Amino acid sequence: IAFASIGEGLGVNLLRGTTYRAGVALTFDIGRNHRDATRLRGTGSITPAPEPKIFAEVAFLPVIFSADLRERVTGASGMIGDLGAYMPVVANETMQIFVGPGVTFADGPYMNAYFGIVPQHAQPYSLFKPYTAKGGFKNVNFGATALYYFNDHWFINADAGVEKLLGSAAKSPLTQVSYQFGGTVGLNYTWN
């Protein structure tokens, strides 16, 4: 019915069944401090902000399709959303492994906040000329998730993925590499 996790935030499944779920959640965007990286000095910080989210998942076995839409409510504004599909490659009582692709899109204000250079943050205040980032596809990605269950309540999940920036995000002077790799491991508790 409800969940709390680093990846999905705090949320409630308003609709749920054996092959679907949909609801609302509150996630958090950590922002960006331009003083943390020498190369970004003068480009302006993006304050951390909560992001309300709506989401849905539906299974057309063996594939599960997911969608979400989030909006920053303070600081730099903008909307960002994800579309994805994943399927199990291992599924038993103690271990499940899922793999699949996804795509992220964002509106102009979001893209410009993270990838644009406004005139007051351009040369000579930073290393960069003005750049306007346009809304559209932000990235494509492919990931894997593994779940290992200790019992009915406790489990570990591990995520790994690769993402390629697209469009204005890839062309931004702030972008040094268009490919990114990441992973997380978490200990979880669920109640039924």
Side-chain angles (χ1 to χ4, degrees):
I1 296 172
F3 56 86
S5 76
I6 294 171
E8 292 193 50
L10 299 170
V12 177
N13 294 311
L14 300 175
L15 303 171
R16 65 188 179 110
T18 55
T19 60
Y20 66 91
R21 74 182 184 118
V24 295
L26 184 64
T27 61
F28 193 74
D29 182 333
I30 61 170
R32 178 183 76 206
N33 186 336
H34 73 106
R35 291 180 185 91
D36 288 346
T38 303
R39 187 171 181 278
L40 296 179
R41 289 229 168 98
T43 59
S45 294
I46 300 169
T47 57
E51 291 182 334
K53 172 174 89 167
I54 58 172
F55 65 87
E57 284 186 346
V58 62
F60 294 104
L61 297 175
V63 180
I64 298 125
F65 296 92
S66 64
D68 71 60
L69 186 63
R70 312 180 297 283
E71 182 169 13
R72 290 179 56 93
V73 294
T74 61
S77 64
M79 295 183 92
I80 186 167
D82 302 292
L83 296 173
Y86 59 95
M87 64 183 292
V89 292
V90 173
N92 59 49
E93 288 185 12
T94 57
M95 179 168 252
Q96 299 169 359
I97 300 175
F98 300 91
V99 297
V103 63
T104 301
F105 54 93
D107 66 5
Y110 182 96
M111 292 288 277
N112 214 34
Y114 277 88
F115 297 99
I117 305 291
V118 296
Q120 62 265 33
H121 295 150
Q123 295 172 341
Y125 307 106
S126 73
L127 301 173
F128 309 103
K129 294 180 180 177
Y131 176 77
T132 301
K134 295 179 176 39
F137 289 107
K138 177 182 171 277
N139 66 61
V140 291
N141 57 71
F142 187 85
T145 297
L147 306 168
Y148 181 81
Y149 292 87
F150 296 107
N151 55 42
D152 289 342
H153 297 286
W154 288 97
F155 67 96
I156 287 179
N157 76 296
D159 297 305
V162 59
E163 137 183 323
K164 181 179 185 339
L165 295 175
L166 301 172
S168 287
K171 295 174 186 172
S172 170
L174 297 176
T175 300
Q176 291 183 287
V177 293
S178 61
Y179 283 94
Q180 301 176 44
F181 301 88
T184 62
V185 175
L187 178 65
N188 300 275
Y189 180 84
T190 182
W191 60 94
N192 300 350

